[in-house]
Amino acid sequence: MSRLIVLDTETTGLSAVDGDRIVELGCVELVNRKLTGNNLHLYFNPERDSHEEALRVHGLTTEFLRDKPKFAEKAQDILAYLQDAELIIHNAPFDVGFLNKELDRLGLKPLKSYVSAVTDTLAMAKELFPGKRNSLDALCDRLEVDNSGRTLHGALLDAELLADVYINMTRGQDALLIMEDEAPSASQVNTELGSQQRVDLSRIALQVLRANEQELVSHEAVLAELDKSSDGKTIWRTAEQAAA
């Protein structure tokens, strides 16, 4: 079973090192690249105000967050949810850096200790679309993912949009999964072959059409030209010499 968690955070600012905190976490689960509905969405009391620029992005005021749980209260639930999954994150170093800082405050191991891998869709997009804008909004437009409901950044909404973007960016993998799911087993193939009626072809006379003189001459001319261009190293000449 391939379990992916598409993850996004909103924060009080841009620097976890300087004390900024996570205010929202949104996670969307995919199993075998299909949405399961088993999502995780949490708001946190960051115990500090958001910077004005960050507040304009996510709109989560100190008043709204005041009665929400602190990250420490939900840390074990979060880690249990993420356990052994591959994380899909847009600009992963940013979100992972904030999560690692929150875990470090609690004396817990870094995020990579609990998950199987972290995939950065921003890095993927830069490889797929070099020289182009690769923000989440830009990718939604390019890949025809409907983001019309995105007036403010929200961790769960952004994770849902990123899940669609990721599926579209890796669309070729769908064909492999479909082939794997639909491919008949060896026993099915043998059963189907065994059930087919056998046809006796021994009495069928196949007509042989031989080349005429003009066609033989044209054929030899083509071979001679190929032989000349390869300095006499064509396979048929080498075979003739070996046979002689």
Side-chain angles (χ1 to χ4, degrees):
M1 179 181 72
S2 174
R3 182 170 182 260
L4 308 178
I5 300 295
V6 185
L7 182 150
D8 187 61
T9 64
E10 297 298 338
T11 63
T12 61
L14 298 178
S15 177
V17 175
D18 292 337
D20 282 314
R21 305 289 298 273
I22 295 174
V23 296
E24 184 184 8
L25 174 70
C27 299
V28 174
E29 183 186 63
L30 297 94
V31 174
N32 295 330
R33 294 170 55 81
K34 296 178 182 178
L35 295 169
T36 67
N38 179 28
N39 301 335
L40 179 67
H41 184 211
L42 295 168
Y43 293 107
F44 304 104
N45 177 356
E47 303 178 90
R48 60 166 295 167
D49 294 335
S50 290
H51 294 285
E52 186 176 341
E53 297 83 359
L55 188 58
R56 280 199 296 266
V57 170
H58 55 63
L60 300 175
T61 65
T62 301
E63 289 72 26
F64 173 78
L65 296 170
R66 184 166 288 124
D67 64 346
K68 303 301 183 287
K70 298 178 177 63
F71 188 92
E73 298 173 50
K74 294 294 182 178
Q76 292 301 329
D77 292 339
I78 294 168
L79 293 177
Y81 177 82
L82 300 179
Q83 188 71 42
D84 297 330
E86 176 183 351
L87 304 188
I88 309 297
I89 307 175
H90 202 65
N91 191 19
F94 179 86
D95 299 85
V96 171
F98 269 89
L99 287 165
N100 280 342
K101 191 65 177 177
E102 295 286 359
L103 294 173
D104 183 61
R105 287 189 180 97
L106 303 174
L108 297 171
K109 297 177 182 178
L111 186 63
K112 66 179 181 180
S113 302
Y114 305 95
V115 302
S116 65
V118 176
T119 295
D120 186 355
T121 50
L122 179 58
M124 288 177 58
K126 287 180 177 179
E127 289 187 10
L128 288 171
F129 312 111
K132 296 186 177 181
R133 291 178 58 248
N134 289 303
S135 66
L136 183 55
D137 281 332
L139 290 173
C140 285
D141 291 341
R142 190 173 304 139
L143 299 171
E144 299 182 350
V145 172
D146 182 12
N147 64 341
S148 56
R150 190 185 193 231
T151 53
L152 288 173
H153 286 241
L156 183 62
L157 174 60
D158 286 1
E160 290 171 340
L161 292 173
L162 183 58
D164 284 341
V165 165
Y166 175 79
I167 290 296
N168 277 278
M169 284 202 299
T170 58
R171 182 66 66 183
Q173 296 180 24
D174 284 342
L176 294 177
L177 287 170
I178 290 170
M179 288 172 63
E180 185 176 292
D181 290 341
E182 296 182 355
S185 65
S187 60
Q188 288 175 315
V189 172
N190 291 335
T191 300
E192 290 172 3
L193 290 175
S195 64
Q196 293 176 356
Q197 183 179 2
R198 299 197 176 197
V199 179
D200 184 7
L201 302 178
S202 62
R203 297 182 181 180
I204 298 177
L206 298 178
Q207 184 179 5
V208 178
L209 298 178
R210 300 191 180 281
N212 60 34
E213 189 66 28
Q214 183 178 352
E215 289 170 336
L216 289 172
V217 171
S218 298
H219 179 65
E220 283 299 324
V222 171
L223 293 182
E225 187 64 31
L226 291 173
D227 192 45
K228 179 180 177 181
S229 63
S230 67
D231 295 327
K233 296 179 181 178
T234 50
I235 294 175
W236 52 87
R237 299 301 186 205
T238 305
E240 288 175 359
Q241 293 169 2

